[in-house]
Amino acid sequence: MEIISEQACFGGTQGFYSHLSSFTGTTMRFAVYQPAQARGMKVPVLYYLAGLTCTEETATIKAGAQRFAAEHGLMLVMPDTSPRDIGLPGEEDDWDFGTGAGFYLDAVKEPWADAYRMYSYVRDELRLLINETFNADVDRTGIFGHSMGGHGALTLALKNPDIYKSVSAFAPISSPMQSPWGEKAFTGYLGTDKASWIDYDATELVKNGYRASHILIDQGTADQFLTEQLKPEIFEAACKEAGQPLTLRLQEGYDHSYYFIQTFMEDHIRHHASILTQS
């Protein structure tokens, strides 16, 4: 593993790292914030999954999470959103597919199947690397994210409640099977058999009996993608029907930006800390 840069930050240390991934077959980058508590003890770990077009730097710079993670003694891990510069045809053609748009799934359709395995990368390889390299408490892990990353956080938590003890999301793509972004990505990565899409749709997972700990979602009412792409009301209805604990907060006047995320980041960190620090 290569350390790209490291600096002091909010009472702890923050660094950017890269490693050659056996899952994606390419060099993957991620950022880690370690609170001061990690110098002497294992601390809970919170993974943040970013959205379309973002990198490991986006939330690190814009989300304002480090201050609150420091207060609660949480380690933050922020991976990139896809493999990069691997020479696949069409990987740079669209902003919502290919580079920066891995959708946190394991692709099965060529030419994406070998490299675009972000679900397994986040759940297995990156998590193992963090647990082996940093002072991370393997039994106290949470996950959250924004937009495409919110979709990823929900599906990972629902399918792996033994790993992810806490989960939340900012403006997630709640039902990608009913979203143009999701339909495009799922067709390109998984093929046209929609039965295979269910594994990566949080709404369908809840309907099919998958459960996570209490989910917190914040959604801005002025989000330009709310009606066509995000559709939190569909996920809310599925959770209500299935008995999945959910707090969905509609925040008046907020859009899809990181200003929205910054505003409610403290609430999300507190949500995770209330579960992870008591585990």
Side-chain angles (χ1 to χ4, degrees):
M1 185 178 68
E2 175 190 0
I3 299 177
I4 301 170
S5 66
E6 196 164 33
Q7 61 182 352
C9 179
F10 293 103
T13 57
Q14 177 172 285
F16 293 94
Y17 304 84
S18 67
H19 69 110
L20 182 61
S21 165
S22 60
F23 277 68
T24 69
T26 186
T27 297
M28 297 295 297
R29 292 175 55 148
F30 62 94
V32 176
Y33 169 73
Q34 301 180 79
Q37 294 91 328
R39 298 187 187 116
M41 60 184 290
K42 290 186 179 295
V43 297
V45 186
L46 184 54
Y47 287 81
Y48 178 89
L49 306 183
L52 291 165
T53 76
C54 293
T55 72
E56 75 286 351
E57 294 185 333
T58 308
T60 309
I61 296 170
K62 295 182 177 181
Q66 294 92 329
R67 171 187 170 187
F68 307 116
E71 291 177 4
H72 292 282
L74 301 180
M75 184 181 299
L76 297 173
V77 179
M78 292 154 281
D80 201 352
T81 53
S82 77
R84 294 182 184 270
D85 302 318
I86 55 178
L88 293 181
E91 68 180 356
E92 302 286 349
D93 289 355
D94 298 311
W95 66 273
D96 56 356
F97 185 82
T99 299
F103 262 82
Y104 303 102
L105 52 75
D106 287 346
V108 297
K109 188 176 177 182
E110 296 299 339
W112 313 98
D114 289 340
Y116 276 67
R117 300 181 59 198
M118 291 300 294
Y119 178 89
S120 292
Y121 169 72
V122 170
R123 186 193 65 180
D124 299 327
E125 185 175 59
L126 179 60
R127 188 170 59 89
L128 180 61
L129 180 65
I130 296 298
N131 293 341
E132 291 180 343
T133 308
F134 300 93
N135 219 1
D137 188 336
V138 64
D139 294 320
R140 295 189 291 168
T141 300
I143 193 166
F144 67 150
H146 172 231
S147 194
M148 177 185 73
H151 138 75
L154 291 175
T155 57
L156 278 156
L158 285 164
K159 293 168 72 175
N160 303 279
D162 55 325
I163 296 175
Y164 303 106
K165 303 303 194 302
S166 62
V167 57
S168 71
F170 298 95
I173 305 173
S174 299
S175 182
M177 291 181 69
Q178 302 181 65
S179 158
W181 282 338
E183 290 176 357
K184 179 176 181 177
F186 287 5
T187 301
Y189 294 134
L190 303 174
T192 56
D193 180 6
K194 291 189 176 182
S196 68
W197 296 9
I198 293 173
D199 276 346
Y200 300 106
D201 186 299
T203 298
E204 295 302 315
L205 290 174
V206 168
K207 289 179 179 179
N208 281 277
Y210 289 88
R211 296 291 180 268
S213 63
H214 194 120
I215 299 170
L216 170 64
I217 293 178
D218 274 308
Q219 173 64 62
T221 61
D223 192 319
Q224 64 270 42
F225 304 116
L226 175 58
T227 302
E228 184 179 20
Q229 303 282 8
L230 307 178
K231 304 182 179 180
E233 71 281 356
I234 298 176
F235 184 66
E236 181 181 34
C239 288
K240 184 177 181 180
E241 177 70 21
Q244 164 63 50
L246 168 69
T247 298
L248 171 62
R249 308 193 306 184
L250 299 178
Q251 304 294 357
E252 188 67 30
Y254 283 90
D255 60 13
H256 202 67
S257 72
Y258 266 83
Y259 296 115
F260 157 64
I261 294 172
Q262 289 173 16
T263 303
F264 301 102
M265 178 57 73
E266 182 176 9
D267 291 349
H268 283 247
I269 296 293
R270 187 184 300 115
H271 167 77
H272 289 276
S274 69
I275 298 171
L276 298 178
T277 60
Q278 300 302 318
S279 298

